Structure formats: C-alpha cells, structure tokens
Amino acid sequence: MTPRDVTPAGSHDEVQLLLPGYVTRRLTDEQNAFVQAHLRHCGTCRADLHWDARLAGAEPPVPEQLDAERALHKMMGRLPPAPPAVQPPVPLRARLRDALGWAPWALALPAMLAVLVLLRPSGRPAGEAADYRALANAPAVPTHPTVVVVFGPDTRMRAVDDILRANGARIIDGPSETGAYLLQVAPARQDAVIAALKSQAHAQLAESLAPARP
Amino acid sequence: MIEQWQAGRTGRTGTPEQGEVQLLESIAQGDRAAFQVLYRAYFQRPARFLDRMVRSPTLIEEIINDTLLVVWQKADRFDASCKVSTWIFAIAYRQGLKALGGVDVPVESDADALFGDVRSEPEHALLRLQRHQEVERALHELPIEQRVVVCLSYYHDMGYQEIAETMGCPLGTVKTRMFHARQRLRALLSDQMEELS
C-alpha cells in the first residue's frame, strides 16, 4: 500500500509546473482535478500553492507616466502617408467635353438643329430607309424622332431614364458626333418630356423636331 | 472597444479573438481607424509586460510603438496560426530584446521614484506597495528569459505553449525556465511572502 504522503516524483514535478496556471485559473478541468488530487497528499505543494497565489496577486504596477493617447499620437505620425484616393474613371463624354470645351457645342447648336431638321422624315414613302443611322435592333414599328436632346455635364442619366419611362418615350438614335440623341415621344407628351429633360435631367438642349405651327 | 468597432462594422459581435482578427484584416487594408482601435485596446498589456523588461516609461512607449508599427506593416502576414495576442506579444518581446541590445542589463530601479513616498500611505496600501517593490526587485534578479516566462504566466494568462510561441523557443525550454525561476523567487521572496498573508 502506498503511504498517503508519498506521491510519485513525476506527478509532483508536473503539479509544480501546473501551480501557476492553477492559481490563475487557466487549467482544463482534467488538469484541475489532477492538481487537486495531488494537493490532498502533498504538503509541499500546498505550501507552494500559497506562495504562487501571492506572487500572482503582486504584479508590480505600471508606471503612471505612461500615456496611451500621447503614444498613439506619436504612433500615427510614424505611419506612412495615406495613399491618394483612387478617382473613378472619367466617362468618355466628359473627357471629350473637357478636351473640346462647351463653346464649340454652343456655336454648333443652330447648325446641328438645322441638320437634324433636314434629317426629319417628311412625306417619305412608307418603308423607305431613313437617312440617319438605324440601330442594330430596329423595332418592327417605324420610328420617327420627335425630340432632339443634348445632355449636359450635370445630366443625371437616372433622371433621363425615369422621364422616358414615365412618358413612354424612347431613345431611337444617338449619340451623334455632336453628342445629340433623338427621342421618339408621343405628341401629347412632348412638351412635358422637353420640360422635364431640361429641369430635372439638366439637359443642355431639348427641342421638338416638329415644324412650328403657323 | 473592439466589440464596439466590430458591431459598428458588421452589425454583430463575435468572440474577442474574432474581433481582433477582423481588426487585423482591416489594418492590412490600410484602415487607420481600425489600427487606432487595436492600439488603444492593446496599449496596457504590452506596457505591463515591457515594464518587466525595461524600466523606463519613455522607452516602454517607444517599444510599444515599434511593436505596433510592425503590426501595421505586417498585418497582412498574420495567418491565424496563433492568437492575435500571442503574435503581438512575440513582436513586443523581440522589440524589447532589441531595445536592451540583446543583453540583460541589470536595472537599478529606484523604488522610491517608482512608487512615490509611501510613508504617507495608509497602512494596508503601504503593505501592498512594499509587496510590489519586493516582487519587482526579485523579478529583476532573474535572467530576462526566466523573468519573461514568469510574467507571461502569472500576469498575462498565458499557458506554456503560448509562452513558447511568444518567445520562439521549445515548450520544454519554457518549463525549464519556469522551474528555475520559481526556485530562485522562492529563495528571494520567502520572508516577504510570509508577510503578505
């Protein structure tokens, strides 16, 4: 029979190494049980447990002069400068506009309108091809442009989309070399569409292609 | 602090370790706000640890900043093979050794300067201060490797495996250092520990 106050040397050394974890409550349940079983029979380890607990509770304090915010301020100064924000790609239209400026567009507007009016079909036999470029997926129903629009630098395409959908209008051609688009708009909605394109979508130009009434 | 950042970013909180990993992922993307969150959350812990290695508050702040600069530069290399705290403490330990020049120079700590004039303190506070002074002196009698093992175990909730990862040494080496450190500290503190009871 093994004397109660004799413990295997191996387990005694193991428990000695487990005591710091035991007093700081880091051990697993199995390790705790192992230590507790040993402590029941080992006066040396019970005395050391006392000592370990006091050592664990006696951590010297941190110097009061330490200042986290002051240190952080210095730290941020050591970080490399933040990289410049990546600019989104500039749309082709805007780059052309910047390159060409709007003055040539303004000067070309009367001539452009004249050209577009000339392009407007009048009394042409049915089925005859229009002079302007047809879109690849031309609709079965012949389209007749009724409004010309030139969008501006502040034009919001989402607003354009909303206006066209709300009024049953369609873009049927464009952009031309001068940036003009041709719309098909029902005559009854033409004035509303033109007004909305100018006020809500900030179109640079929105004009009816219908001949002026006498 | 980290929980608040985590909740603000993801709408939910996870474990503290998950929060720290997410912080590192953000820091790896150059997120300076995340870096500041980590810095403030971690300042005290490395400070307590480094105070056992060097006794200068100015030097401690410099080493912490050197440590967190490495964290900023290498956040993208953290592979979660260990805890974030282990990784940061390992960096702090190496930065501390670098600051010491790789040599454990005995530091004569001016206990009066550190703890102030204790004579005016109430008796129980006086006893506590004296206890801290004695432990401080005893710890600095140890070689630095043994001192680090004792501090990480008793004061930073690290197990031996984690200490081995922090110090970059085998597990058996950590246990050996702890064995000798406890023997030495018992000899140095036996009288003082009786007074603490």
Side-chain angles (χ1 to χ4, degrees):
Chain A
M1 188 160 86
T2 305
R4 291 182 67 182
D5 60 345
V6 173
T7 55
S11 65
H12 177 81
D13 290 342
E14 283 179 70
V15 169
Q16 284 284 309
L17 284 175
L18 287 173
L19 287 179
Y22 185 77
V23 298
T24 55
R25 304 175 190 274
R26 278 198 326 271
L27 301 184
T28 64
D29 291 343
E30 185 180 349
Q31 289 172 323
N32 280 324
F34 176 69
V35 170
Q36 286 162 3
H38 180 84
L39 288 175
R40 280 195 283 272
H41 307 291
C42 181
T44 302
C45 284
R46 284 199 298 273
D48 287 347
L49 176 64
H50 240 40
W51 183 90
D52 277 290
R54 277 156 181 74
L55 179 62
E59 181 184 10
V62 176
E64 291 179 355
Q65 302 93 317
L66 286 175
D67 186 327
E69 292 303 315
R70 177 185 62 207
L72 175 57
H73 181 71
K74 289 183 187 174
M75 179 77 252
M76 298 309 291
R78 291 180 62 180
L79 297 185
V86 175
Q87 298 296 327
V90 179
L92 175 61
R93 186 190 309 131
R95 280 188 276 143
L96 287 174
R97 181 199 68 225
D98 291 341
L100 299 174
W102 279 105
W105 297 91
L107 292 174
L109 273 177
M112 188 173 66
L113 277 174
V115 170
L116 290 172
V117 167
L118 288 175
L119 288 176
R120 176 174 57 85
S122 57
R124 199 173 279 141
E128 184 176 323
D131 291 338
Y132 57 84
R133 177 178 57 83
L135 296 178
N137 297 321
V141 177
T143 56
H144 305 284
T146 56
V147 173
V148 59
V149 62
V150 175
F151 300 119
D154 299 325
T155 296
R156 294 172 297 160
M157 298 311 293
R158 182 57 187 267
V160 171
D161 187 69
D162 291 342
I163 293 167
L164 297 183
R165 287 179 186 275
N167 292 279
R170 298 170 54 238
I171 295 177
I172 56 176
D173 205 356
S176 67
E177 284 193 16
T178 55
Y181 292 82
L182 298 177
L183 311 183
Q184 183 187 33
V185 185
R189 293 184 178 272
Q190 207 168 93
D191 290 343
V193 168
I194 289 172
L197 287 172
K198 286 181 178 176
S199 63
Q200 297 174 28
H202 303 288
Q204 188 77 11
L205 170 80
E207 298 287 347
S208 170
L209 291 174
R213 295 194 181 90
Chain B
M1 196 183 302
I2 294 177
E3 278 186 7
Q4 289 173 353
W5 175 88
Q6 198 179 14
R9 186 174 181 82
T10 65
R12 59 184 185 277
T13 57
T15 63
E17 180 63 19
Q18 287 173 336
E20 293 184 357
V21 170
Q22 287 171 1
L23 269 177
L24 277 186
E25 289 171 351
S26 293
I27 291 168
Q29 303 296 322
D31 187 337
R32 289 162 188 257
F35 177 77
Q36 293 189 36
V37 170
L38 186 75
Y39 188 102
R40 289 189 173 100
Y42 260 90
F43 183 85
Q44 286 299 325
R45 278 182 283 177
R48 286 164 48 209
F49 169 61
L50 291 167
D51 193 41
R52 302 284 79 75
M53 294 180 73
V54 300
R55 292 301 292 139
S56 161
T58 304
L59 189 53
I60 290 171
E61 287 185 7
E62 285 181 20
I63 297 172
I64 290 175
N65 281 3
D66 290 341
T67 300
L68 270 295
L69 183 62
V70 173
V71 170
W72 170 265
Q73 293 168 339
K74 298 188 177 177
D76 59 336
R77 298 189 211 172
F78 177 75
D79 59 4
S81 59
C82 64
K83 289 162 57 178
V84 172
S85 58
T86 306
W87 186 64
I88 293 177
F89 267 77
I91 298 171
Y93 174 62
R94 289 193 296 272
Q95 294 296 325
L97 287 180
K98 193 188 294 185
L100 289 171
V103 177
D104 182 20
V105 178
V107 177
E108 293 296 329
S109 63
D110 185 348
D112 287 341
L114 290 169
F115 299 106
D117 183 0
V118 301
R119 290 170 295 183
S120 61
E121 297 287 336
E123 188 173 345
H124 63 276
L126 175 63
L127 209 58
R128 188 174 64 248
L129 288 172
Q130 288 176 333
R131 176 198 315 164
H132 290 161
Q133 288 180 21
E134 294 301 326
V135 170
E136 179 76 28
R137 291 195 186 105
L139 284 173
H140 278 278
E141 292 287 328
L142 300 177
I144 190 166
E145 294 87 359
Q146 292 180 16
R147 193 186 323 149
V148 167
V149 168
V150 167
C151 292
L152 291 177
S153 178
Y154 284 94
Y155 306 131
H156 293 277
D157 295 330
M158 285 196 188
Y160 293 135
Q161 180 59 47
E162 200 175 347
I163 294 173
E165 293 171 3
T166 300
M167 298 182 72
C169 65
L171 178 61
T173 302
V174 172
K175 291 182 178 179
T176 301
R177 288 172 177 169
M178 175 61 92
F179 174 79
H180 291 296
R182 291 179 75 248
Q183 277 198 325
R184 179 77 176 125
L185 286 174
R186 269 202 295 271
L188 290 169
L189 293 171
S190 57
D191 295 337
Q192 287 77 11
M193 287 304 187
E194 286 301 319
E195 293 173 5
L196 299 178
S197 58

